[in-house]
Amino acid sequence: MIRRLLRRLLPAPQPAPAPVSIPVPEPVLANVSPRDVGLHDAVLDGWFLNDSGELLKGFAITADDTLLDVGCGEGAATLFAVRQGASVIFTDSEHEKVRDLGRQVEAQSAKPNLGLVSNSLPLPLADGCASKVVCMEVLEHIEQPEPFMAELVRMGRPGALYLLSVPAPVGEHLQQGIAPASYYQSPNHVQIFTAQRFAALVEDAGLVIEHRQATGFFWVMGMIFFWASERAAGRDLSGAVRDRIHAPYPPLMESWARTWQDLLVQPGGLEIKQILDGFMPKSQVIIARKPLNDGRLP
């Protein structure tokens, strides 16, 4: 099942899923990477629903949309939107990511699209330029998230839908016992959002929350095993970390991925996953709506 999914999707960013109606997984595959299992875990939780065009359940993208992906990274959200026929605007602070993603977008889309290298305020985009706005695992890197959030709201049209995610505090605090100090310094995680603070940030910016979820136990444990493996190997853990985790993975991470995949096919495995996701989530997600000019919701 995982290999079939990977033929349809690019590698996904660290996900932020929630309990939904989920299919029965197929048997364990012997040679799967942590990233493969993380993608499988995300799909089970409602991400990348090709049949309905939903990037996440409740966040549908159509050919009539213009999607703005702020902090696009490898571009999983942008490319999903391209496959739905939408126009895309994607921004990142790293030139190489924008360049590489731009090449993929150009190869797959004949619509007007725009890639920008930027991490400054204000962002160089017009008011109301997007009908769908995505900003995932970005706000925790921002020294002043309130004006940044205001920028996101400015760029959404009246009635625009927003998909936002940040790390959940339980996983962040747990990693403080093993991650390097640089993980919590610029350009890495300089903010830790409680659920209350995250919701207040969104609502104070003028958006109305439609859906919330917090999951990703697999990745919390995966990160802990990653830090332990790096420390045991005596590797330098300084500098930016968001691109550090890639193949070849530490053997401990690969063993954990096999264990998690095996859990999912056991009787009651999916229910156990949901309990653990709620107990120790990696990320928290909000889907929110920008009101119309008269204050009503679409």
Side-chain angles (χ1 to χ4, degrees):
M1 183 175 184
I2 292 176
R3 292 194 178 101
R4 187 164 67 249
L5 288 168
L6 290 174
R7 286 196 294 268
R8 297 161 51 199
L9 301 171
L10 286 181
Q14 288 184 359
V20 295
S21 177
I22 44 184
V24 176
E26 294 176 2
V28 167
L29 298 177
N31 298 310
V32 291
S33 74
R35 193 146 190 175
D36 297 344
V37 175
L39 171 60
H40 181 48
D41 198 64
V43 171
L44 291 176
D45 283 316
W47 289 88
F48 306 107
L49 303 178
N50 286 331
D51 291 345
S52 62
E54 293 169 291
L55 177 58
L56 175 65
K57 190 170 181 64
F59 192 87
I61 302 170
T62 73
D64 295 328
D65 281 316
T66 296
L67 178 124
L68 170 60
D69 187 0
V70 178
C72 60
E74 295 177 351
T78 290
L79 292 170
F80 183 90
V82 166
R83 290 193 292 273
Q84 310 315 310
S87 293
V88 293
I89 305 169
F90 49 98
T91 78
D92 200 274
S93 61
E94 299 183 33
H95 177 268
E96 293 78 10
K97 282 185 167 52
V98 174
R99 178 199 61 201
D100 294 346
L101 181 55
R103 290 170 178 167
Q104 296 179 72
V105 169
E106 184 178 359
Q108 298 180 40
S109 174
K111 285 196 166 182
N113 301 295
L114 177 64
L116 291 172
V117 179
S118 178
N119 63 353
S120 62
L121 294 177
L123 293 171
L125 294 167
D127 294 357
C129 61
S131 57
K132 300 285 165 64
V133 179
V134 171
C135 186
M136 296 191 291
E137 309 299 296
V138 173
L139 289 162
E140 68 274 14
H141 296 267
I142 306 300
E143 294 282 357
Q144 296 182 304
E146 289 80 10
F148 191 90
M149 191 70 215
E151 274 294 277
L152 296 181
V153 174
R154 177 186 68 80
M155 294 181 290
R157 298 171 190 166
L161 200 61
Y162 287 72
L163 177 57
L164 311 164
S165 78
V166 296
V170 61
E172 292 292 271
H173 290 310
L174 192 61
Q175 288 180 76
Q176 284 180 331
I178 195 168
S182 61
Y183 188 64
Y184 298 98
Q185 299 167 0
S186 182
N188 300 311
H189 294 191
V190 297
Q191 305 285 345
I192 295 179
F193 290 93
T194 64
Q196 295 76 16
R197 184 187 174 203
F198 186 29
L201 177 70
V202 173
E203 293 175 332
D204 290 348
L207 301 180
V208 177
I209 295 174
E210 295 190 350
H211 174 72
R212 297 181 67 174
Q213 62 187 58
T215 54
F217 176 85
F218 168 76
W219 277 115
V220 175
M221 295 303 300
M223 289 295 294
I224 290 170
F225 291 145
F226 172 78
W227 295 127
S229 298
E230 293 293 282
R231 285 185 179 277
R235 283 189 275 271
D236 180 16
L237 300 181
S238 62
V241 296
R242 71 176 187 172
D243 297 324
R244 187 192 299 274
I245 302 177
H246 53 74
Y249 299 96
L252 182 57
M253 280 192 76
E254 293 186 337
S255 177
W256 165 240
R258 290 191 296 270
T259 298
W260 187 251
Q261 181 65 10
D262 183 60
L263 166 73
L264 294 178
V265 300
Q266 301 305 313
L270 297 178
E271 290 76 13
I272 293 172
K273 162 190 155 52
Q274 291 178 347
I275 291 169
L276 292 173
D277 282 345
F279 167 68
M280 197 165 72
K282 169 64 177 72
S283 294
Q284 47 188 330
V285 176
I286 285 176
I287 297 176
R289 178 85 62 177
K290 183 174 181 176
L292 300 173
N293 290 332
D294 61 6
R296 295 182 299 111
L297 294 177

